[in-house]
């Protein structure tokens, strides 16, 4: 089988490399000459565990190649996956589909045989049908079907999520296209991955519904955590006690500083906007967005309180700045709220992140970057754990105490136990626990 993947961003690159690993011939296309030149040199523009090896291996065995143009490969392609960006449009919550539609038109103009056009980018309900219309308009003779195949991969574990997914969702309205999709996902059929096949709109909405539900679950436990603090309960135990109910499930019930990343914030906004437009407003999702935004903004106040009510003239060590571990992605990370707010309150920030410092340095000003966690904490008045990287989970507490001017630790990811930290001599605060 031969496919083209349009877009060498997160979803595009991971999908291209994973399909190549399945034995499909993949050409990954991106408009950015710089990005393609780097990929051709073997440089991977994002940090994702295992991705560089997967790309290298499949480039070497000839299954994966990169190009700035879809034209040479399209004549032989069984399918073209659209995995270009869908950023939030300025001045509203809607996803910007201009890259998706431009890609669809270009595909239509270059088709010379039956091809399945698949949206992998998260696109609002109705986009697949609009792509169909635009393609027919651009090339009335073109033979094609449009499918929706939303991606459910998580940054940091994207390859595992692609290779061993909970399910594959395919929105597809012709048997011919379904046969192509089944052939592409054959290795997953062999491991009995459930396939949910539906019409275009159903598949598109499933993706938004899944992300909005997970964002709601997180926001729910975050509000329970706030209540735990008021009543003397422990959120981790509440979460365990709830999550063991099979109907609820334990995952995505970790209280923290609020969700971030490139997906939940953008997708919840887009879903709420679509729902408004269609006259079926989703008040629950709108509230989740609002509660989460306020939560992220309120985290700096927690740090200030832990520092005795003021951080003016103090140095705060921040451990972790990415929106979650195992990524260098800074999009909508809580650090972008917390660090500027602490600086505004008069603090100097020393920070360390195992992978995110380069990206973060473009977005945050006046941060002193430490060479490691201990280096960032040297001489600081307090330390704040913002991202739960594994290397922060087993810090040498005696060394931390010796490095900090005062042993104040604010753990916004609940990776330490309050009683152990207190026994070790720390003034420790966390989320939803005493
Ligand atoms: C999310 C979904 O989990 C994927 O299934 C989906 O494919 C992806 O969006 C997407 O739409 O492309 P991702 O954004 O990579 O994946 O990261 P998550 O692991 O879901 O975490 C999102 C945010 O929620 C992070 O800020 C994380 O710290 C936070 N979170 C997650 C919590 O605060 N508590 C939890 O229990 C889980």
């Amino acid at each position: 089988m031969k496919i083209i993947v349009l877009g060498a961003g997160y979803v595009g690159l991971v999908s291209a490399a994973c399909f190549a690993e399945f034995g499909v011939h993949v050409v990954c296309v991106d408009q950015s000459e710089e990005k393609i030149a780097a990929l051709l040199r073997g440089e991977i523009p994002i940090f994702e565990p295992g991705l560089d090896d997967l790309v290298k291996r499949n480039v070497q065995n000839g299954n994966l190649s990169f190009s700035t143009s879809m034209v040479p490969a399209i004549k032989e392609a069984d399918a073209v996956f659209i995995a270009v960006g869908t950023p939030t449009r300025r001045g509203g919550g809607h996803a910007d589909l201009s890259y998706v539609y431009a890609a669809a038109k270009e595909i239509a103009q270059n088709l010379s045989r039956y091809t399945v056009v698949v949206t992998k980018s998260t696109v609002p309900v109705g986009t697949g049908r609009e792509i169909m219309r635009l393609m027919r308009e651009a090339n009335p003779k073109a033979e094609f079907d449009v499918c929706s195949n939303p991606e459910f991969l998580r940054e940091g574990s994207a390859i595992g999520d692609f290779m061993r997914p909970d399910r594959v969702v395919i929105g597809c309205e012709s048997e011919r296209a379904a046969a192509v999709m089944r052939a592409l996902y054959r290795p997953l059929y062999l491991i009995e991955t459930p396939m949910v096949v539906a019409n275009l709109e159903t598949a598109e909405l499933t993706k938004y519904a899944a992300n909005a539900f997970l964002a709601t679950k997180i926001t729910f436990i975050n509000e329970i955590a706030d209540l735990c603090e008021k009543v003397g309960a422990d959120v981790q135990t509440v979460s365990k006690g709830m999550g063991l109910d099979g109907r609820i499930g334990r995952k995505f019930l970790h209280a923290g500083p609020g969700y971030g990343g490139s997906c939940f914030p953008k997708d919840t906004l887009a879903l709420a906007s679509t729902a408004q437009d269609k006259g079926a407003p989703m008040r629950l999702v709108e509230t989740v967005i609002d509660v989460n935004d306020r939560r992220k903004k309120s985290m700096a106040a927690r740090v200030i309180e832990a520092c005795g009510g003021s951080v003016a003239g103090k140095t705060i060590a921040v451990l972790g700045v990415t929106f979650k571990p195992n990524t260098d992605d800074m999009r909508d990370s809580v650090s972008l709220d917390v660090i500027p707010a602490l600086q505004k309150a008069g603090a100097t920030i020393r920070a360390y992140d195992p992978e995110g410092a380069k990206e973060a340095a473009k977005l945050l000003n006046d941060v002193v970057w430490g060479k490691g966690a201990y280096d960032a904490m040297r001489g600081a008045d307090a330390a704040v754990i913002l991202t739960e990287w594994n290397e922060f989970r087993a810090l040498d507490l005696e060394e931390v105490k010796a490095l900090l001017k005062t042993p104040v630790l604010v753990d916004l990811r609940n990776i330490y136990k309050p009683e152990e930290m207190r026994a070790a001599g720390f003034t420790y605060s966390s989320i939803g626990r005493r």
Side-chain angles (χ1 to χ4, degrees):
M1 307 265 323
K2 292 185 177 164
I3 65 167
I4 297 175
V5 175
L6 297 180
Y10 204 85
V11 170
L13 200 52
V14 171
S15 307
C18 290
F19 274 126
E21 184 74 5
F22 286 171
V24 175
H25 281 269
V26 184
V27 181
C28 182
V29 176
D30 200 287
Q31 282 181 340
S32 161
E33 292 190 7
E34 210 181 313
K35 204 182 247 183
I36 293 298
L39 284 162
L40 289 170
R41 286 195 302 273
E43 293 163 20
I44 308 297
I46 47 170
F47 173 76
E48 177 63 35
L51 185 60
D52 41 3
D53 285 345
L54 202 65
V55 169
K56 206 180 291 164
R57 186 165 61 245
N58 284 285
V59 167
Q60 270 164 10
N61 69 22
N63 279 351
L64 178 61
S65 59
F66 297 99
S67 174
T68 50
S69 168
M70 69 169 91
V71 177
I74 205 161
K75 290 176 184 54
E76 294 188 350
D78 297 293
V80 181
F81 283 76
I82 302 180
V84 298
T86 54
T88 302
R89 217 159 52 200
R90 260 166 217 248
H94 292 278
D96 178 352
L97 295 173
S98 50
Y99 302 106
V100 172
Y101 291 149
K105 278 188 204 160
E106 196 183 343
I107 297 168
Q109 282 151 0
N110 287 288
L111 281 189
S112 58
R113 62 171 213 169
Y114 176 76
T115 308
V116 182
V117 178
V118 191
T119 52
K120 215 154 202 15
S121 307
T122 301
V123 289
V125 185
T127 306
R129 221 159 283 284
E130 178 62 9
I131 289 177
M132 230 184 249
R133 194 190 64 75
L134 286 173
M135 287 185 64
R136 288 227 172 85
E137 191 179 271
N139 182 356
K141 289 199 192 117
E143 247 199 300
F144 66 89
D145 275 305
V146 174
C147 280
S148 159
N149 175 215
E151 193 45 68
F152 297 98
L153 51 83
R154 286 161 303 172
E155 293 191 14
S157 45
I159 292 165
D161 287 348
F162 195 100
M163 301 280 188
R164 290 175 299 282
D166 290 338
R167 77 313 205 177
V168 172
V169 174
I170 298 173
C172 166
E173 292 165 12
S174 91
E175 193 33 54
R176 197 176 179 189
V180 171
M181 296 303 284
R182 270 199 297 272
L184 283 171
Y185 280 113
R186 203 181 113 78
L188 297 185
Y189 270 98
L190 299 180
I191 57 166
E192 296 181 357
T193 304
M195 303 273 164
V196 179
V197 183
N199 72 4
L200 281 168
E201 287 76 9
T202 306
E204 288 167 346
L205 187 55
T206 302
K207 166 70 192 211
Y208 282 99
N211 272 2
F213 188 82
L214 293 172
T216 304
K217 213 173 165 189
I218 297 167
T219 306
F220 181 86
I221 202 67
N222 284 342
E223 288 200 317
I224 291 285
D226 290 347
L227 184 57
C228 283
E229 288 169 17
K230 302 281 185 211
V231 301
D234 179 315
V235 73
Q236 277 177 318
T237 312
V238 173
S239 166
K240 189 174 172 190
M242 282 172 64
L244 284 169
D245 183 329
R247 293 169 302 176
I248 297 174
R250 290 181 69 171
K251 292 181 182 162
F252 281 69
L253 277 184
H254 302 291
Y259 62 78
S262 61
C263 306
F264 290 171
K266 178 166 74 81
D267 293 352
T268 45
L269 267 178
L271 180 62
S273 296
T274 304
Q276 276 289 351
D277 290 353
K278 301 289 176 194
M282 298 189 66
R283 281 168 41 213
L284 190 55
V285 177
E286 286 169 9
T287 305
V288 164
I289 296 167
D290 183 45
V291 169
N292 192 64
D293 283 348
R294 285 169 199 263
R295 180 169 193 83
K296 285 160 83 181
K297 290 198 175 73
S298 74
M299 287 297 128
R302 279 182 181 253
V303 177
I304 294 170
E305 196 190 315
C307 292
S310 167
V311 290
K314 292 186 178 165
T315 298
I316 308 295
V318 172
L319 304 187
V321 292
T322 51
F323 84 95
K324 68 175 199 176
N326 298 323
T327 177
D328 59 355
D329 201 331
M330 285 294 295
R331 284 176 282 182
D332 276 309
S333 173
V334 71
S335 65
L336 299 174
D337 288 302
V338 171
I339 291 177
L342 292 176
Q343 288 171 322
K344 202 163 163 227
T348 298
I349 304 293
R350 287 176 67 85
Y352 168 69
D353 189 283
E355 293 294 336
K358 197 167 148 218
E359 274 305 302
K362 297 179 196 160
L363 304 165
L364 295 163
N365 298 320
D366 304 321
V367 171
V368 183
W369 292 97
K371 290 189 195 70
Y374 296 107
D375 185 37
M377 287 189 280
R378 184 164 296 125
D381 295 273
V384 183
I385 298 172
L386 276 190
T387 317
E388 69 279 30
W389 285 92
N390 271 342
E391 65 176 88
F392 304 150
R393 289 178 186 272
L395 293 169
D396 178 335
L397 297 179
E398 282 308 313
E399 194 174 346
V400 172
K401 237 176 20 180
L403 287 170
L404 291 174
K405 249 193 261 170
T406 43
V408 176
L409 189 81
V410 183
D411 176 5
L412 298 180
R413 297 289 183 169
N414 287 355
I415 61 179
Y416 287 97
K417 292 205 163 76
E419 56 282 15
E420 283 174 17
M421 294 306 282
R422 275 195 286 274
F426 282 87
T427 306
Y428 176 80
S429 54
S430 60
I431 302 279
R433 305 178 305 173
R434 281 210 183 142

